């Protein structure tokens, strides 16, 4: 096994959760910055990270990091990297990236220089004037910031939010990685009762069920690194077998997923079937009004929800009904907790009290807050 540095990227506000997930896999964080975490691992770590990280966006292999203020310097330092350690002779590679606050601010120019340097390095190593580029996919990503260039190879391919269970969707769905983060922050676990009254395509309940059952989120899909020649096939077999063995089918918990839209409930049920957790989620067509003045028979439970806020419905009266129902329920059921993501800065005012905790997050490109109201013990 080779000693590698991996980089997991994360949506702003989720770095601490991703850090916890990486450490749970047994890896040590060596650097943490806004939106990315670097950790020491090996080829098996690439596999485990893609299979198990629920809240990270992607997993990269770090190839180099250096300062460059001229294109000549960028070319020479890129060509000095041992690309042959990952890229085979037929690697189908491309270069993408970003640049901010750097002298080399032209992204297309940086792309061209980096690609030429890699071609030169591989051509000399494999003794070829022309590279076939008809093999496995490798996406080289560069990040220029304040003249510092970070070079990485994307091991994930499609973002880790794509679990491949979302057969159909509804307008403005929440990403699977964000839904998993909301569940993680709520500390939903075995023996608990959870309700999502605005379930939409069912993402939050599905992620909650997968988490409590310890079902690896990447188990049903393939990644770019699935086809990499330097990761032995036996590693994939071993790690997938271990992941299947780790699933707790007998985990006891209760999840109710409801929505006012019958079509949404059908979509959510279909997605849950694809995810393999339809047997442990109760789907209902229900209006949020049901919870107003409602005394729950269960002593303890929690709402985890992503309500249809203003940017999506543009109806303040409807929002008032939602807030009123939630406030009424929480007041009548003080042992219940409420976890809700919304960009509405007046939400706490509508609830009549400040949240016990709040966390700034980005739901897609919308700045939001995760309001957390804890039930009494």
């Amino acid at each position: 096994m080779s000693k590698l540095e991996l980089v997991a990227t994360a949506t702003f506000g989720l770095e601490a959760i991703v850090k916890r997930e990486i450490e749970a896999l047994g890896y040590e964080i060596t650097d943490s910055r806004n939106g990315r975490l670097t950790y020491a691992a090996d080829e098996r770590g690439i596999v485990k990270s893609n299979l198990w990280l629920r809240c990270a966006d992607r997993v990269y292999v770090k190839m180099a990091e250096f300062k460059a203020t001229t294109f000549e310097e960028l070319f020479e330092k890129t060509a000095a990297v041992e690309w042959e350690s990952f890229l085979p002779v037929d690697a189908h590679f491309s270069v993408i990236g970003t640049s901010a606050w750097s002298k080399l601010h032209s992204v297309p120019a940086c792309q061209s220089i980096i690609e030429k340097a890699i071609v030169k390095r591989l051509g000399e190593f494999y003794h070829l004037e022309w590279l076939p580029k008809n093999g496995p996919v490798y996406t080289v990503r560069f990040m220029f910031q304040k003249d510092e260039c970070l070079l990485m190879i994307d091991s994930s391919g499609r973002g880790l939010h794509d679990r491949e269970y979302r057969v159909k969707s509804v307008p403005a769905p929440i990403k699977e990685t964000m839904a998993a983060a909301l569940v993680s922050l709520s500390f939903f676990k075995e023996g608990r009762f959870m309700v999502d009254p605005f379930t939409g395509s069912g993402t939050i309940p599905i992620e909650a069920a997968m988490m409590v059952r310890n079902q690896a989120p990447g188990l049903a899909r393939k990644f770019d690194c699935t086809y990499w020649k330097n990761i032995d096939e036996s590693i994939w077999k071993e790690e997938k077998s271990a992941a299947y063995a780790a699933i707790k089918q007998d985990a006891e918990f209760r999840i109710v997923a409801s929505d006012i839209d019958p079509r949404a409930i059908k979509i959510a049920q279909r997605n849950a079937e694809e995810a393999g957790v339809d047997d442990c989620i109760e789907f209902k067509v229900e209006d949020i009004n049901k919870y107003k003045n409602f005394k729950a028979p269960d002593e303890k439970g929690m709402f985890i929800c992503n309500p249809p806020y203003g940017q999506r419905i543009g109806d303040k009266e409807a929002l008032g009904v939602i807030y009123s129902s939630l406030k009424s329920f929480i007041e009548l059921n003080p042992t219940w907790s409420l976890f809700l993501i919304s960009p509405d800065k007046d939400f706490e005012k509508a609830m009549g009290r400040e949240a016990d905790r709040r966390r700034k997050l980005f739901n897609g490109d919308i700045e939001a807050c995760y309001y957390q109201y804890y039930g009494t013990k």
Side-chain angles (χ1 to χ4, degrees):
M1 293 284 183
S2 307
K3 288 185 179 180
L4 305 171
E5 277 191 290
L6 303 186
V7 177
T9 54
T11 299
F12 176 83
L14 302 187
E15 295 92 342
I17 304 171
V18 175
K19 179 177 183 287
R20 194 164 65 216
E21 291 184 335
I22 293 168
E23 291 174 339
L25 292 177
Y27 301 112
E28 182 182 353
I29 304 293
T30 57
D31 187 29
S32 179
R33 307 185 194 185
N34 284 347
R36 69 177 192 262
L37 298 103
T38 305
Y39 54 107
D42 52 22
E43 287 84 358
R44 188 176 296 275
I46 298 174
V47 176
K48 290 176 71 172
S49 297
N50 279 288
L51 284 177
W52 283 102
L53 293 183
R54 298 181 189 277
C55 303
D57 291 333
R58 293 174 185 274
V59 177
Y60 295 91
V61 179
K62 180 179 174 180
M63 298 301 293
E65 190 168 14
F66 51 77
K67 185 174 183 177
T69 56
T70 67
F71 287 124
E72 182 181 359
E73 192 176 13
L74 176 61
F75 183 90
E76 293 301 328
K77 289 184 176 180
T78 301
V81 177
E82 294 182 356
W83 295 101
E84 65 276 6
S85 65
F86 263 86
L87 304 184
V89 65
D90 60 348
H92 183 73
F93 76 90
S94 57
V95 179
I96 61 172
T98 56
S99 181
W101 307 296
S102 299
K103 289 184 176 64
L104 303 182
H105 54 83
S106 171
V107 171
C110 290
Q111 283 176 300
S112 177
I113 293 295
I114 291 171
E115 183 171 358
K116 287 176 182 177
I118 296 173
V119 168
K120 177 179 182 292
R121 174 81 188 202
L122 293 180
E124 289 177 353
F125 182 83
Y126 292 116
H127 306 292
L128 292 173
E129 293 184 6
W130 177 81
L131 298 172
K133 282 195 173 187
N134 57 3
V137 172
Y138 295 81
T139 301
V140 176
R141 180 172 181 81
F142 67 89
M143 293 176 66
F144 252 113
Q145 195 165 25
K146 296 180 180 178
D147 296 326
E148 289 289 332
C149 181
L150 173 63
L151 294 176
M152 307 179 291
I153 301 176
D154 183 359
S155 71
S156 301
R158 286 175 288 112
L160 294 182
H161 72 276
D162 190 352
R163 325 285 209 215
E164 288 198 351
Y165 64 66
R166 200 196 289 268
V167 180
K168 290 187 176 180
S169 190
V170 296
I174 191 169
K175 271 190 176 182
E176 293 85 338
T177 43
M178 177 59 73
L182 302 187
V183 176
S184 180
L185 288 167
S186 76
F187 294 99
F188 180 63
K189 58 184 179 180
E190 280 193 72
R192 300 298 300 275
F193 179 21
M194 182 200 122
V195 176
D196 177 7
F198 316 102
T199 200
S201 55
T203 311
I204 293 175
I206 290 170
E207 290 296 323
M210 291 173 65
M211 194 176 295
V212 179
R213 278 189 168 177
N214 199 39
Q215 184 173 321
L219 202 49
R221 60 161 285 186
K222 294 186 183 297
F223 311 90
D224 278 2
C225 61
T226 303
Y227 308 98
W228 288 3
K229 295 177 182 179
N230 57 323
I231 300 180
D232 197 279
E233 193 176 338
S234 64
I235 296 176
W236 282 105
K237 289 180 179 178
E238 290 166 8
E239 291 304 325
K240 282 197 169 187
S241 294
Y244 278 114
I247 297 174
K248 297 189 286 186
Q249 293 288 2
D250 58 348
E252 294 186 5
F253 56 96
R254 186 182 175 199
I255 297 177
V256 171
S258 62
D259 201 284
I260 195 172
D261 183 358
R263 177 179 165 273
I265 289 299
K266 286 183 180 179
I267 289 172
Q269 286 177 312
R270 182 73 180 92
N271 290 340
E273 289 171 10
E274 283 296 313
V277 294
D278 56 304
D279 60 319
C280 56
I281 302 174
E282 185 181 351
F283 292 97
K284 294 180 178 181
V285 177
E286 272 182 348
D287 193 309
I288 186 65
N289 273 322
K290 176 212 166 174
Y291 294 99
K292 191 166 188 175
N293 302 319
F294 182 79
K295 188 72 176 75
D298 298 86
E299 186 177 292
K300 199 169 186 179
M302 64 175 68
F303 282 96
I304 305 179
C305 50
N306 174 37
Y309 30 83
Q311 282 90 337
R312 295 187 289 171
I313 59 173
D315 189 341
K316 286 193 173 183
E317 186 177 337
L319 280 177
V321 171
I322 289 172
Y323 295 165
S324 176
S325 298
L326 291 172
K327 180 184 177 183
S328 171
F329 182 88
I330 293 300
E331 288 176 345
L332 281 172
N333 301 275
T335 60
W336 276 62
S337 299
L338 169 64
F339 299 91
L340 179 145
I341 185 170
S342 173
D344 190 349
K345 291 179 170 59
D346 293 326
F347 177 71
E348 289 170 300
K349 189 185 296 183
M351 290 297 290
R353 66 183 174 101
E354 291 185 354
D356 295 302
R357 191 170 183 181
R358 63 183 75 83
R359 180 186 290 256
K360 181 180 175 182
L361 299 172
F362 278 86
N363 188 11
D365 58 354
I366 300 172
E367 183 180 326
C369 184
Y370 193 39
Y371 297 101
Q372 302 167 60
Y373 292 86
Y374 304 139
T376 56
K377 293 185 179 179

